[in-house]
Amino acid sequence: MPKYIVTIGLEVHAQLTTQSKMFCACPVEYGAEPNTHTCPTCLGLPGALPVLNAAAIEKTILTGMMLGCETPPLVKWDRKNYFYPDMPKNYQITQFDLPLCIGGGVPLYDLAYPKDAQKSIAKPGKVVQLTRIHLEEDVGKSTHYDKFTTLDFNRAGTPLMEIVSEPDIDSAEEAFAYLTSLRQILIYGGVSDADMEKGNLRCDVNISLRPEGQKELGAKIELKNLNSMSAVRRAIKFETERQAEALDRGEKLIQSTRRWDDDRGETTLMRTKEDAHDYRYFPDPDLLPVRTADLVAKMKPLVPELPHEKRARFEQDYGCSAYDAGVLASEKELAAWYEAAVSADPSVPAKKIANWVINDLLGALNDRSLNLAECPVKPEALSALVATVEAGKISNNQAKEVFAEMFESGKPAAEIIKAKGFEQVSDTGALEAIVEQILAANPDKVAEVKGGNEKAMNWFTGQAMKASQGKANPKMVTEIVRKKVLG
């Protein structure tokens, strides 16, 4: 059986977070009543003229900066002609030969890969190269029923970035990581909500197979109707196997577009693929070209700290492990929550707070299917709890119990500690009395410690904790035992 090289490219459509549409003043609002946010321009009525949305252009340039793209000094808009019910003008205003962003790349973060693939990443640190990012208008939404189809034009005209990768992706796992990393960066920049469930991040996949040793790419087959990252991964795996089996049978693959059926787990042919000349691109006569120098200068100071930069800072400034820093930096809101907890009390070790966030806070949220915005424990409240543990006022096990109560009730740690009677005894005289009593009753253990078995010291600490019903400060107990036994 011949072996094949898999080559994958992705076309990601990301709706921008603007208040109005790309070429008119209609509001952009998800979930509004159908066909209530329309006007003559976005409905393509005769005589209506488009007006450029400056914020959409700025956000696209910002996206390009985050991804290392270049912005040409002059850009323009074109008409892409095609006929479909959800495109009211029968052409789409887009960009063809002079887009806003050229080149660049998307870094594939290790934690962006599927969990079952994170231990076997083929090319760690890979950056998937981009061809371009262009800005266009979205189409309307078609909803298909058994005997009819409804059209909602609220979405028609929404600013839409198309982010086109080079054929630089080698597997379904890399495609998954690419989408996850790209989504993180878009959210970090505040340019898109990047929510696939709401349709403001959509993806088309181009796949081709060729025998090993052949330089020329195989026929490009495009996959549509992919509405989740896991669906992208499943569709690529299916289509790769389908194409390989067809080539094994001696079939010649042709350039085409296929639909992914997630319920059946297979692709079906939609149409043979058009080329660029089929769309009859030409410059839009109603829109002037745009000089970008001033816009580039305006957006340059707004480039945010990106996930990989934040991860490196968490490692350097807060002493986080590479894994912990990656988890904390993976979501913009989580990183901000963690830093708020750290800044609430700079005396608390930031690494200890990181441990609590990753092991306890995220676990509690996942168990209850809550997002961070719904978390009943505030950053400063967790910081106060960790400070209490670090001060030796309660044990780590007691702190776990206190945290669980904080998460259920929203009460502060101090109030719960008092109600549960967890305040530790730190009075030196009281602790010395407890220790002296235990030492006197266990001369054999004292001899063990004096004989060099310092591990036996822990036994005395444990006995003191029992005698005090867990309220003794363990650090102070150990110091007192050491002083009295070893001098």
Side-chain angles (χ1 to χ4, degrees):
M1 297 285 287
K3 292 185 177 179
Y4 301 104
I5 299 173
V6 180
T7 303
I8 301 167
L10 297 184
E11 298 173 9
V12 175
H13 297 81
Q15 286 184 358
L16 292 166
T17 52
T18 56
Q19 294 181 347
S20 58
K21 293 185 180 182
M22 185 64 225
F23 301 112
C24 66
C26 289
V28 174
E29 180 189 3
Y30 176 79
E33 283 293 313
N35 297 306
T36 56
H37 294 335
T38 60
C39 73
T41 298
C42 57
L43 288 177
L45 299 183
L49 294 175
V51 177
L52 286 170
N53 184 331
I57 297 173
E58 291 170 355
K59 287 177 182 287
T60 303
I61 291 174
L62 177 60
T63 301
M65 290 179 173
M66 292 190 294
L67 296 173
C69 306
E70 292 184 4
T71 293
L74 187 74
V75 300
K76 69 179 178 68
W77 272 261
D78 304 271
R79 290 187 181 181
K80 177 182 180 181
N81 295 274
Y82 66 95
F83 304 93
Y84 204 72
D86 60 11
M87 187 69 259
K89 296 190 292 287
N90 286 332
Y91 65 84
Q92 179 187 34
I93 302 177
T94 181
Q95 293 185 290
F96 183 47
D97 56 333
L98 287 176
L100 276 163
C101 307
I102 298 172
V106 176
L108 304 190
Y109 304 132
D110 288 359
L111 292 178
Y113 284 82
K115 286 187 177 180
D116 60 356
Q118 290 176 6
K119 294 183 178 179
S120 57
I121 298 173
K123 297 179 181 177
K126 178 174 179 176
V127 177
V128 172
Q129 299 303 306
L130 295 177
T131 305
R132 57 190 275 148
I133 304 174
H134 60 261
L135 181 58
E136 59 191 20
E137 58 179 335
D138 207 347
V139 297
K141 181 180 179 181
S142 301
T143 304
H144 302 290
Y145 298 91
D146 288 342
K147 297 182 179 180
F148 63 93
T149 295
T150 60
L151 294 173
D152 178 8
F153 290 111
N154 282 348
R155 193 175 72 183
T158 298
L160 193 70
M161 286 188 302
E162 183 167 343
I163 303 167
V164 183
S165 83
E166 290 284 321
D168 196 27
I169 298 170
D170 301 327
S171 67
E173 287 68 35
E174 281 190 2
F176 186 101
Y178 173 93
L179 287 171
T180 305
S181 294
L182 178 60
R183 178 179 177 275
Q184 289 177 12
I185 292 170
L186 295 177
I187 292 174
Y188 259 73
V191 299
S192 175
D193 293 332
D195 189 335
M196 292 191 86
E197 289 186 4
K198 293 182 178 179
N200 50 39
L201 187 72
R202 306 194 293 277
C203 175
D204 297 333
V205 178
N206 296 305
I207 305 177
S208 72
L209 268 64
R210 69 185 189 276
E212 285 188 349
Q214 177 179 310
K215 290 185 178 180
E216 183 183 354
L217 294 177
K220 183 176 72 173
I221 295 177
E222 185 177 24
L223 305 184
K224 296 278 192 180
N225 194 41
L226 302 162
N227 54 18
S228 72
M229 294 181 191
S230 58
V232 169
R233 188 184 184 195
R234 290 192 297 271
I236 290 173
K237 285 184 176 295
F238 173 86
E239 184 61 20
T240 300
E241 293 175 4
R242 188 195 70 80
Q243 290 186 33
E245 290 172 0
L247 292 171
D248 287 342
R249 293 192 298 267
E251 294 181 19
K252 182 179 180 181
L253 298 173
I254 60 171
Q255 183 173 327
S256 58
T257 299
R258 300 179 70 86
R259 177 181 180 275
W260 169 249
D261 188 321
D262 205 30
D263 293 331
R264 299 175 63 179
E266 63 183 26
T267 62
T268 54
L269 182 66
M270 292 176 65
R271 59 182 180 269
T272 55
K273 176 63 179 174
E274 300 92 341
D275 288 311
H277 63 264
D278 293 310
Y279 291 119
R280 304 193 325 277
Y281 284 97
F282 63 88
D284 193 298
D286 297 328
L287 294 167
L288 291 172
V290 173
R291 297 192 182 277
T292 61
D294 290 344
L295 295 171
V296 169
K298 178 181 178 181
M299 301 316 293
K300 191 170 290 185
L302 302 181
V303 177
E305 182 182 42
L306 296 175
H308 58 279
E309 296 167 337
K310 196 176 291 289
R311 183 183 66 215
R313 180 168 62 81
F314 284 0
E315 289 184 55
Q316 181 176 341
D317 294 355
Y318 298 150
C320 294
S321 68
Y323 174 80
D324 287 356
V327 172
L328 294 168
S330 64
E331 298 290 342
K332 183 180 179 181
E333 292 79 7
L334 179 61
W337 199 101
Y338 168 64
E339 293 216 78
V342 170
S343 61
D345 186 348
S347 68
V348 181
K351 190 177 187 314
K352 294 290 181 70
I353 293 178
N355 292 339
W356 276 89
V357 170
I358 292 170
N359 298 324
D360 299 274
L361 184 77
L362 292 182
L365 290 171
N366 290 336
D367 289 344
R368 294 161 180 79
S369 298
L370 299 176
N371 59 46
L372 200 57
E374 300 169 312
C375 181
V377 179
K378 302 304 177 188
E380 57 274 14
L382 180 64
S383 181
L385 173 63
V386 180
T388 305
V389 178
E390 290 300 301
K393 295 180 180 179
I394 61 173
S395 69
N396 201 58
N397 287 337
Q398 289 173 327
K400 300 282 185 184
E401 190 174 335
V402 171
F403 177 80
E405 178 67 24
M406 290 170 66
F407 204 92
E408 292 299 328
S409 66
K411 295 178 181 178
E415 182 179 333
I416 297 169
I417 290 169
K418 185 175 182 180
K420 289 183 174 291
F422 281 170
E423 300 98 329
Q424 288 192 343
V425 177
S426 297
D427 178 79
T428 304
L431 293 179
E432 283 186 348
I434 293 173
V435 170
E436 287 173 356
Q437 204 171 24
I438 296 170
L439 293 176
N442 297 279
D444 53 333
K445 291 288 185 181
V446 173
E448 277 188 44
V449 175
K450 288 183 175 180
N453 183 11
E454 288 204 22
K455 289 185 178 179
M457 197 97 64
N458 296 333
W459 183 85
F460 286 108
T461 302
Q463 293 301 306
M465 296 301 292
K466 285 183 181 178
S468 64
Q469 296 181 328
K471 293 185 178 182
N473 185 315
K475 291 182 181 178
M476 292 185 67
V477 169
T478 301
E479 289 173 8
I480 292 170
V481 171
R482 182 180 295 279
K483 182 177 178 181
K484 289 190 175 291
V485 175
L486 299 178

